[in-house]
Amino acid sequence: MTADRVIARGTVARPDGAEPADVVIAGGRIVDIVEPGAGRGAEIIEARDLLVLPGGVDAHVHFLIGFMGQRSVYDFHSGTVAALRGGNTSVIDFALQRRGRSMMDGLKHRRVQADRHVACDYGLHLIATDVNATTLAEVPALVAAGAATFKVYTVYEKEQLKVEDGPLHDLMRALGKAGGTIGLHAENASLIDHAIARHLAAGETAPRFHASSRPALAETEAVSRGLLLAEDAGCPLHIFHLNSAPALALIEAAQARGQRASAETCIHYLALTAERYDGADGHLFVMSPPLRDPATQARMWDGVARGSLGAVTSDDASYSAEAKALGAASFDRIANGVPGVEARLPVMYTLGVEQGRLTLPQFVEAWSAGPARLFGLGAEKGRIVPGADADLVVIDPHARRRMAVDSHYGAIGYNPYEGMELAGWPVATLLRGEVVVRDGAFLGRAGQGRFLVRHGPPR
Ligand code: URP
Ligand code: ZN
């Protein structure tokens, strides 16, 4: 068989090491890894002096989202093009169950919004907002349909997202039986609402009060509760966007006891700290949980290096600078979230590998292999081995670029990483063997991404 393509003479980086090799691709899959220069195929992509990584798996993005009265800049097309430009070949977005409606309708509706538009492969976590006997009966079918992870919010009642502990526990039991995983946005609503009310009553409306109203305690309590409920229910637990040292210690202790518990942190927590809230543009950095102090940041890097944080995600939520400014007069009205799907690679590579916080294999694990395994994609995604999808990104570890407002694909009007000098930019992104981005230019088409049917962890 003649191979379609060979990525030649690059350094192939995997979670178990890095070595010079040729990656041989045919029929959308990796078919062989051979000595540098030994690969034969119709097209040779020269990768001397470059790194070859598994395509990124960003397991937490919010494209085409409306939240707190604002809409994201990215829809499923532009968001997935941005993802590919950032070296990601798979993303996991969210399907929202609206209160009073079926969960399955939420999944079907989201697939209609996405399927014909996506440029990279994508999966969906199901956001459950209304848990009752009827909707619980849908859980096995949802897991079978590939939405094996659910997200539950323990906050945001005003946005009609919050689920109380009783129904959450029921959902965990149903998911545990069906072979799914519960994921939590874990913050204590009562502590936070109380603190917000106190700040507002005192006229304290600046962005910095967003951080003080959502302390690590609020996160830690909700993680602790989630662990207890999930363990009792026999359900694997994942904590989304974790940014609290005591909460991470709880996750690590649970993992050491053998509880099926995982967590992710996000690039903004690894790159930015709470002093950002004090700037004139502090409103741009409002997300939940909030940015914290340098010690918390160092602990998050430590968790990524140890692997207790199994993934680093972007939690991409691309509200424009204008949209964020609409709420700037009072911190509780600022649309929560920051963009990052395109920044994840250079931020992780530069601050992680180049600055010595992660080894190259640890970086590959958190970038791609870890999230692929955690979220049921481990056979085909996140691996550079024969038989896996040829989802690859070739990066230049030496080229440096300064992040600017217009570094991302979308007209978002700000960039949380503006001014940072970063390395590790993608030169080419391959989706199932096809070069879909070359030097930042999108060469693919809408709808080329596939829906990823994800199954739960082995039982
Ligand atoms: O502030 C955040 N994280 N915004 C996005 C929505 C979510 O909670 O994931
Ligand atoms: Zn969340």
Side-chain angles (χ1 to χ4, degrees):
M1 178 179 61
T2 312
D4 300 329
R5 211 157 267 121
V6 177
I7 303 183
R9 287 175 279 271
T11 297
V12 175
R14 300 188 276 207
D16 57 352
E19 58 184 7
D22 284 8
V23 182
V24 185
I25 297 163
R29 291 184 186 264
I30 296 166
V31 292
D32 213 350
I33 319 276
V34 297
E35 289 294 307
R40 298 285 170 266
E43 186 192 355
I44 304 289
I45 299 174
E46 182 59 51
R48 194 189 294 271
D49 298 329
L50 303 178
L51 289 176
V52 182
L53 312 174
V57 176
D58 191 343
H60 189 156
V61 300
H62 299 273
F63 300 148
L64 194 67
I65 183 183
F67 187 55
M68 297 177 75
Q70 305 304 329
R71 296 204 75 77
S72 60
V73 169
Y74 285 139
D75 56 22
F76 273 103
H77 184 64
S78 54
T80 50
V81 171
L84 288 168
R85 280 171 37 112
N88 303 281
T89 44
S90 299
V91 296
I92 310 182
D93 200 283
F94 294 81
L96 174 67
Q97 175 209 18
R98 294 201 183 275
R99 287 196 182 158
R101 306 275 287 273
S102 115
M103 294 181 180
M104 190 56 93
D105 281 357
L107 180 63
K108 286 183 182 156
H109 177 64
R110 200 62 170 160
R111 288 206 53 186
V112 169
Q113 290 183 321
D115 277 1
R116 286 187 301 114
H117 306 287
V118 283
C120 72
D121 288 356
Y122 85 106
L124 292 170
H125 305 288
L126 197 289
I127 298 176
T129 61
D130 197 349
V131 180
N132 56 52
T134 311
T135 59
L136 281 170
E138 298 181 285
V139 168
L142 284 156
V143 171
T149 31
F150 281 40
K151 181 172 184 180
V152 159
Y153 287 87
T154 61
V155 285
Y156 296 140
E157 178 51 34
K158 254 194 276 171
E159 288 74 26
Q160 306 219 323
L161 293 171
K162 182 177 175 226
V163 174
E164 298 296 336
D165 294 345
L168 169 59
H169 189 237
D170 288 346
L171 178 59
M172 287 171 167
R173 279 196 300 215
L175 275 168
K177 269 198 206 118
T181 297
I182 192 79
L184 291 182
H185 175 126
E187 293 183 293
N188 179 304
S190 177
L191 286 174
I192 289 171
D193 290 346
H194 187 62
I196 291 175
R198 204 176 44 226
H199 279 313
L200 295 182
E204 295 168 340
T205 55
R208 82 172 68 97
F209 299 111
H210 172 73
S212 52
S213 66
R214 306 182 96 95
L217 171 66
E219 207 184 330
T220 307
E221 187 285 326
V223 168
S224 162
R225 183 164 26 112
L227 282 164
L228 283 171
L229 294 176
E231 188 167 37
D232 181 79
C235 183
L237 172 75
H238 179 74
I239 301 296
F240 288 104
H241 45 48
L242 186 133
N243 191 31
S244 143
L248 178 54
L250 290 174
I251 293 289
E252 289 175 347
Q255 290 171 341
R257 287 197 308 272
Q259 182 171 353
R260 291 173 296 172
S262 61
E264 68 187 37
T265 193
C266 304
I267 48 165
H268 34 273
Y269 303 133
L270 296 173
L272 307 168
T273 49
E275 80 217 6
R276 297 289 174 144
Y277 294 124
D278 294 327
D281 60 354
H283 58 284
L284 297 177
F285 298 90
V286 165
M287 83 288 287
S288 296
L291 302 174
R292 304 198 194 279
D293 58 1
T296 304
Q297 183 174 83
R299 182 70 174 96
M300 294 304 110
W301 278 112
D302 172 59
V304 177
R306 289 177 196 216
S308 51
L309 289 170
V312 174
T313 64
S314 71
D315 192 3
D316 189 283
S318 56
Y319 307 110
S320 67
E322 256 181 343
K324 301 266 301 181
L326 287 175
S330 190
F331 70 87
D332 60 318
R333 301 209 197 118
I334 302 165
N336 283 208
V338 290
V341 73
E342 212 170 325
R344 197 170 71 100
L345 174 46
V347 166
M348 283 179 73
Y349 182 81
T350 309
L351 306 187
V353 180
E354 213 186 58
Q355 296 184 9
R357 297 179 178 96
L358 299 179
T359 64
L360 191 54
Q362 286 168 341
F363 157 73
V364 174
E365 174 70 15
W367 158 250
S368 183
R373 263 198 330 276
L374 269 181
F375 295 109
L377 302 171
E380 286 166 342
K381 306 295 191 189
R383 302 191 322 147
I384 306 185
V385 294
D389 283 356
D391 287 356
L392 298 158
V393 57
V394 182
I395 72 166
D396 186 339
H398 308 296
R400 310 190 70 75
R401 243 184 265 162
R402 192 172 289 280
M403 272 288 199
V405 173
D406 59 0
S407 297
H408 26 229
Y409 183 66
I412 298 170
Y414 80 104
N415 186 330
Y417 310 101
E418 187 184 351
M420 286 188 185
E421 173 117 350
L422 299 176
W425 296 90
V427 174
T429 308
L430 286 83
L431 176 68
R432 282 178 274 104
E434 298 298 322
V435 180
V436 288
V437 169
R438 185 99 213 195
D439 298 320
F442 177 57
L443 309 174
R445 59 179 175 77
Q448 72 187 2
R450 287 186 186 154
F451 177 68
L452 298 167
V453 175
R454 299 175 302 106
H455 297 294
R459 281 183 287 175

